[in-house]
Amino acid sequence: MQYRFGDKFKFIPAFFLVCCLLIPSLAMAGHGEAKSVKKGIMLAAFGSSMPQAQASFDAIDAAVKKAFPGVPVYWSYSSAIIRNVLAKEGRSVDSPAMAMTKMMDAGFTHVAVQSLHTIPGEEYFGIVETVEAFEGMPKGMSRVTVGKPLLYSDKDMLRTVDAIVANIPKDRKAKDAVVLMGHGTHHAANIYYPASQNYFSKVDPRIFVGTVEGAPSLDDVKVLLKKSKAEKVYLMPYMSVAGDHARNDMAGDEDDSWKSELTKEGYKCVPVLKGTAEFPQVVDIWVDHLKVAFKHLGDH
Ligand code: CO
């Protein structure tokens, strides 16, 4: 059917009317309510049930708040076992997923997550996978970034070695050995422990790295200790918190603790119950990693 020329003009006001009605509703349908950028930080530690550990977490919290004034900071523990122990004591701490959910409901659009783990292993990648799932969720966060754990790059290794060396008890003499107890893992990132040995050896030939659950083992450390001719050994955790492993597996009185095993071999053992998170130089490394993650949030 054909319109006469005059009929076409009759549609124009109707067309504008439809446009005027449609445009605002399209805008609403496309974006819901207009969202303003709201940035936040979520810290994810492995967690600890030791009351002493809270002091180092408080120090990290203070350092992060100082570096990011006005940015809200949420906490989570990635260990379900630790969270359950704390819950029984009436202290509940969120999992990373729960902390992210709370932040999403509180309207955060941009969240930088900082892993307070030592190596990029199973715990770290679990957090990455969990928090990245929140990116792009309907009505959720538009951007989520994750800061690297303590040990990642060559520079991190060098800084961590300096940080730990600076915190060895001052009465330790050059002829005394220092044995660091790392956690160790079946994850490929266990390679950071033997790699650490290389970095420590360059700075101090009598610092030895062992692990509870991976390689190098205590037997590997014993071989190096023997060659070092040291008589006295300082035992220090190569873990963020002096928790169960440090207190029992490293410094405990049981027959198979590192202290007992090395004492049996004739060494005079001095356990140092301080986690790396108690060293401000170590906290600085995590904060620097968070700065990178926060910068990558961008502004829209
Ligand atoms: Co463990």
Side-chain angles (χ1 to χ4, degrees):
M1 157 184 185
Q2 280 266 305
Y3 290 109
R4 282 182 295 119
F5 182 73
D7 284 344
K8 278 192 181 162
F9 288 95
K10 283 183 191 158
F11 288 109
I12 291 172
F15 177 71
F16 274 113
L17 185 66
V18 167
C19 285
C20 291
L21 290 172
L22 211 57
I23 288 166
S25 64
L26 275 178
M28 292 296 282
H31 306 283
E33 54 264 64
K35 252 201 206 159
S36 52
V37 169
K38 185 174 174 184
K39 291 183 183 178
I41 286 168
M42 201 275 275
L43 301 175
F46 179 76
S48 174
S49 54
M50 300 276 165
Q52 299 93 322
Q54 195 53 48
S56 35
F57 292 145
D58 289 346
I60 295 171
D61 190 70
V64 168
K65 284 172 179 162
K66 193 177 165 215
F68 300 90
V71 181
V73 177
Y74 284 61
W75 273 85
S76 68
Y77 288 176
S78 64
S79 166
I81 296 172
I82 303 278
R83 290 198 309 272
N84 290 337
V85 169
L86 291 173
K88 283 188 191 123
E89 294 168 4
R91 282 189 56 209
S92 77
V93 178
D94 290 331
S95 64
M98 188 55 84
M100 290 300 278
T101 303
K102 285 182 178 172
M103 293 184 84
M104 192 166 78
D105 288 350
F108 286 91
T109 57
H110 291 61
V111 177
V113 176
Q114 180 57 44
S115 146
L116 300 175
H117 296 84
T118 301
I119 55 163
E122 198 175 308
E123 291 292 319
Y124 170 75
F125 284 108
I127 284 165
V128 171
E129 227 179 288
T130 302
V131 303
E132 282 184 348
F134 284 80
E135 189 179 89
M137 222 180 246
K139 304 210 174 183
M141 295 154 182
S142 38
R143 189 105 172 93
V144 176
T145 55
V146 188
K148 302 288 188 244
L150 183 66
L151 306 177
Y152 198 79
S153 67
D154 177 65
K155 192 181 158 205
D156 297 336
M157 301 292 297
L158 295 166
R159 287 182 74 187
T160 300
V161 166
D162 285 348
I164 290 173
V165 168
N167 285 281
I168 292 170
K170 297 287 167 266
D171 57 1
R172 179 246 174 172
K173 309 210 165 47
K175 63 178 168 55
D176 303 331
V178 176
V179 169
L180 298 172
M181 177 192 256
H183 194 280
T185 173
H186 55 87
H187 190 277
N190 186 78
I191 204 74
Y192 276 87
Y193 296 105
S196 294
Q197 180 63 67
N198 186 52
Y199 285 86
F200 278 106
S201 296
K202 278 184 188 161
V203 172
D204 186 318
R206 287 197 179 83
I207 298 181
F208 306 115
V209 178
T211 64
V212 195
E213 291 174 20
S217 63
L218 178 60
D219 286 339
D220 296 326
V221 170
K222 282 178 182 171
V223 172
L224 300 177
L225 268 178
K226 198 162 199 174
K227 280 189 201 153
S228 80
K229 306 232 176 351
E231 290 168 10
K232 192 174 175 182
V233 177
Y234 286 79
L235 291 165
M236 292 175 74
Y238 191 23
M239 301 183 207
S240 60
V241 167
D244 192 49
H245 288 304
R247 279 159 214 277
N248 298 315
D249 302 325
M250 186 186 89
D253 292 325
E254 302 78 26
D255 263 6
D256 58 350
S257 77
W258 288 22
K259 185 185 81 178
S260 302
E261 292 246 5
L262 295 177
T263 304
K264 265 181 264 168
E265 308 244 329
Y267 299 101
K268 184 179 177 333
C269 292
V270 185
V272 183
L273 290 173
K274 270 190 159 194
T276 58
E278 291 180 59
F279 308 152
Q281 301 96 325
V282 166
V283 175
D284 285 346
I285 300 171
W286 279 313
V287 171
D288 285 345
H289 289 176
L290 176 56
K291 283 179 183 165
V292 174
F294 198 83
K295 201 174 157 206
H296 285 159
L297 285 178
D299 286 309
H300 40 82

